[in-house]
Amino acid sequence: MPLIAPSVLSANFLDLGSDIDMINNSEADWFHVDVMDGRFVPNISFGMPVIKALKKQAKKPLDVHLMIVEPEKYFEDFKNAGADILTIHYEASTHLHRSLQAIKGLGMKAGVSLNPHTPVHLLEDIIQDIDLVLIMSVNPGFGGQKFIEQSFEKVRKLKKMITDRGCDTLIEIDGGVNLDNASKLVEAGVDVLVAGNTVFSSANPSDTIQKLKQSAK
Ligand code: DX5
Ligand code: ZN
């Protein structure tokens, strides 16, 4: 069974507490928390105050996805805000190895995200140091976009790399995940499904989370 990480970006910010409780009481495994800076991506989301508030009420780990330039400046701040998993973008990291050690040194799991155009083979010499690879299956910046089909091939290639190297790196997929492609993604090697629009625009979000959880190989 895959891990399910509903994306808070699609929650109702006027009643965030209710959506946090819905996730707490559902079969979801993590909270997916998207941080955007208006520079790495053409959108701005939220930052430390919101994450701190989330952390107070969340009963599951915070999976924080940084879509920001110079992420290394803020590792400690995100740790203090409550991040359990901290994912940075390959494209925003000049010294990826150093950054991963710094994240782990602060006691968080370290993730690396790839934009749709970034090939997975670029991770060959660093895969053993990564706890989680987040494959972006849309261009980052917005929820509710259409899944890019080429992502399946990326997942398969990455899964092969991880298996060949004997690593325990998790594969997470983010963007356009729905009840139609979820099982096929798990079959291709995905361990963690992020879902924003699919969960929060559904009539029964908790039920949708359960359905995603049942996506089987
Ligand atoms: C997009 C974000 C995603 C987004 C996914 O840049 O990284 O986490 O919330 O939303 P959906 O599932 O609606 O594509
Ligand atoms: Zn995300």
Side-chain angles (χ1 to χ4, degrees), residues 83-130:
D84 297 285
I85 302 150
L86 198 61
T87 295
I88 56 179
H89 264 264
Y90 179 90
E91 303 83 6
S93 307
T94 310
H95 299 288
L96 189 58
H97 185 272
R98 178 186 290 153
S99 290
L100 294 174
Q101 306 312 317
I103 292 171
K104 292 197 256 187
L106 287 164
M108 296 177 283
K109 296 277 184 203
V112 175
S113 181
L114 301 180
N115 274 337
H117 72 276
T118 305
V120 295
H121 72 78
L122 289 172
L123 298 179
E124 260 167 26
D125 293 322
I126 189 84
I127 192 73
Q128 66 283 348
D129 294 303
I130 308 176

Side-chain angles (χ1 to χ4, degrees), residues 29-30 37 78 81 89 168 187 196:
D29 298 275
W30 298 345
D37 66 352
F78 282 108
H89 264 264
D168 52 7
E187 215 168 283

